[in-house]
Amino acid sequence: VQLQASGGGLVQAGGSLKLSCAASGRTFSSSVMGWFRQAPGKKREFVAYIRWSFGNTYYADSVKGRFTISRDSAKNTGYLQMNSLKPEDTAVYSCAATNNVYRGISYYTDASEYVYWGQGTLVTVSS
């Protein structure tokens, strides 16, 4: 499985961006796609994940109500719609996925649960 993230860029505070993560090489049957971010000088942190087959979603508190994760199964593509962006959202955003059996809602906030990773896409939010 290969993941290709895109959609990053420079946006003013309060603006919006939509990131995409295109998967190729194998379809997702019962798996999870997640987004993580890493700001300069900080550790990587969980942003959101979606259970691919069922559409269940889970968000970090810091983005809840502002970001929306979704997927288009026909296109094997996941999305992260980011609204009301803040300067503290500035980071490299990476998508990740796993085809392992779903273990439960709390596991997928941990990057170690993911098998496949895409390259990051930089999001810069200016104040």
Side-chain angles (χ1 to χ4, degrees):
V1 175
Q2 293 81 44
L3 303 178
Q4 179 73 38
S6 61
L10 173 64
V11 63
Q12 288 190 328
S16 298
L17 279 176
K18 187 173 185 177
L19 306 183
S20 298
C21 180
S24 61
R26 184 175 175 180
T27 58
F28 291 102
S29 57
S30 57
S31 61
V32 173
M33 179 177 281
W35 288 91
F36 289 77
R37 67 185 182 185
Q38 187 166 19
K42 295 188 177 181
K43 293 194 296 186
R44 181 170 53 191
E45 66 172 351
F46 165 76
V47 176
Y49 80 72
I50 186 166
R51 195 173 174 191
W52 196 262
S53 295
F54 298 94
N56 308 70
T57 58
Y58 189 83
Y59 298 91
D61 288 343
S62 58
V63 306
K64 201 173 295 183
R66 299 188 298 122
F67 291 11
T68 303
I69 189 171
S70 62
R71 89 284 192 233
D72 184 333
S73 299
K75 296 182 178 179
N76 259 9
T77 300
Y79 304 98
L80 186 68
Q81 176 68 48
M82 306 184 295
N83 298 329
S84 302
L85 282 161
K86 305 175 181 179
E88 52 264 43
D89 293 318
T90 295
V92 174
Y93 285 71
S94 299
C95 59
T98 178
N99 276 339
N100 292 333
V101 174
Y102 186 72
R103 298 214 290 156
I105 190 169
S106 63
Y107 286 90
Y108 299 95
T109 61
D110 187 340
S112 67
E113 290 293 326
Y114 296 84
V115 177
Y116 310 106
W117 287 84
Q119 90 296 351
T121 184
L122 177 63
V123 172
T124 304
V125 184
S126 63
S127 56

